Amino acid sequence: MIIAIDGPAGSGKSTIARMLAKRLGFKYLDTGAMYRALTWKALQHGVDLKDANALCQLMDQTAIELRSTGDGLQICIDGANVTEKIRLPSVTNNVHFISNTPSVRQRMVKLQRTLASEGNIIAEGRDMGTVVFPHAEKKFFLDAEIEERARRRHGEMNLPENEISYTDVIKDIEIRDKRDTTRDNSPLRKSEDAIYLNTTKMLVEEVISRILKELESVIKK
Ligand code: DC
């Protein structure tokens, strides 16, 4: 069974997807982490991020793995644990080069489908319901007002005060929203059959309960 969760940056989808996977005993497919992992490797190897052929070659020579551990999900590239490194600002600021390259996306989608064929999964990203898993048993589109998304992101960053201001986080999210929704390849949009949840005023636990309720019909089968 595949449950698809899409939404913009800071909508809470990673937290929700991780918790749901744990509750249901499903695998968590963090597809943003996959794009981030390849970005990290490209930066390490000094690959030109605008060179689609070089990026494809890199992807073909790279093993991206998502390992479930007691602590959560571990992201490995060629066997090395890069779980924390892929959250660095250098990766966040450059990942759009990778995610907007059609030939790289094709390869990622193939890999995502292969990983999903291994069992029940919660697939989280931007194009899960629209492109990668159009036949997912249930689809959710999580959203929240930008101020709330920025507040969550700023809180998560856990930085010494004033290192990055809340205003800068809002600006950063605006840029990411624009990139995600206006790109030519698999732009972020709600699949027609996805359930829309605005989580601005919802606690994590409320979102989880709501989703579990929606899943009752498919999971009982
Ligand atoms: O969810 P995230 O911030 O970790 O995602 C990192 C980037 O990857 C984000 O800028 C959008 C892109 N992405 C994508 O294009 N398609 C996906 N399925 C997941 C993420």
Side-chain angles (χ1 to χ4, degrees):
M1 179 184 302
I2 295 173
I3 313 291
I5 302 184
D6 290 301
S11 57
K13 60 190 188 316
S14 304
T15 308
I16 300 295
R18 192 180 315 113
M19 287 175 74
L20 269 180
K22 201 166 176 192
R23 292 254 185 116
L24 298 171
F26 281 29
K27 278 196 171 173
Y28 168 35
L29 186 67
D30 179 351
T31 60
M34 297 170 74
Y35 287 101
R36 286 172 178 274
L38 191 66
T39 307
W40 181 79
K41 184 167 173 182
L43 291 172
Q44 288 294 302
H45 288 246
V47 174
D48 179 358
L49 300 177
K50 292 182 183 148
D51 181 342
N53 287 336
L55 292 176
C56 283
Q57 220 175 16
L58 186 75
M59 172 101 195
D60 291 342
Q61 295 161 354
T62 298
I64 300 175
E65 281 171 274
L66 305 182
R67 295 183 190 159
S68 297
T69 68
D71 297 339
L73 196 67
Q74 195 178 79
I75 319 301
C76 294
I77 199 151
D78 303 323
N81 181 358
V82 292
T83 313
E84 287 179 9
K85 294 184 181 118
I86 63 167
R87 304 287 158 195
L88 290 170
S90 57
V91 173
T92 304
N93 295 337
N94 285 298
V95 64
H96 65 280
F97 288 109
I98 306 281
S99 63
N100 203 15
T101 303
S103 43
V104 172
R105 285 202 85 87
Q106 268 171 17
R107 285 164 167 78
M108 282 291 183
V109 169
K110 198 167 162 218
L111 178 57
Q112 287 158 9
R113 289 182 180 149
T114 305
L115 295 175
S117 66
E118 292 167 8
N120 292 328
I121 67 150
I122 307 283
E124 179 243 304
R126 305 290 191 285
D127 57 346
M128 297 298 101
T130 50
V131 175
V132 187
F133 303 114
H135 304 298
E137 274 79 359
K138 274 279 178 198
K139 301 179 186 177
F140 297 91
F141 190 93
L142 298 194
D143 201 0
E145 280 158 23
I146 191 160
E147 292 79 8
E148 174 61 15
R149 292 193 280 129
R151 200 188 58 73
R152 290 176 190 167
R153 268 289 143 94
H154 196 233
E156 273 166 18
M157 287 174 172
N158 200 15
L159 294 167
E161 241 179 280
N162 301 330
E163 193 157 325
I164 297 184
S165 71
Y166 168 77
T167 320
D168 285 342
V169 177
I170 289 217
K171 279 189 204 142
D172 180 55
I173 291 192
E174 276 169 352
I175 293 170
R176 295 185 64 192
D177 280 357
K178 186 148 190 244
R179 280 185 185 143
D180 284 349
T181 54
T182 59
R183 69 172 178 226
D184 297 334
N185 310 293
S186 308
L188 169 69
R189 68 181 172 79
K190 180 189 161 305
S191 170
E192 269 179 27
D193 52 352
I195 297 165
Y196 180 88
L197 286 180
N198 185 330
T199 70
T200 307
K201 295 199 169 92
M202 290 172 89
L203 297 172
V204 169
E205 207 38 58
E206 288 172 325
V207 181
I208 298 273
S209 305
R210 174 72 203 283
I211 292 182
L212 286 174
K213 193 145 188 55
E214 296 286 350
L215 292 178
E216 274 171 12
S217 56
V218 285
I219 288 190
K220 270 186 194 153
K221 269 183 209 163

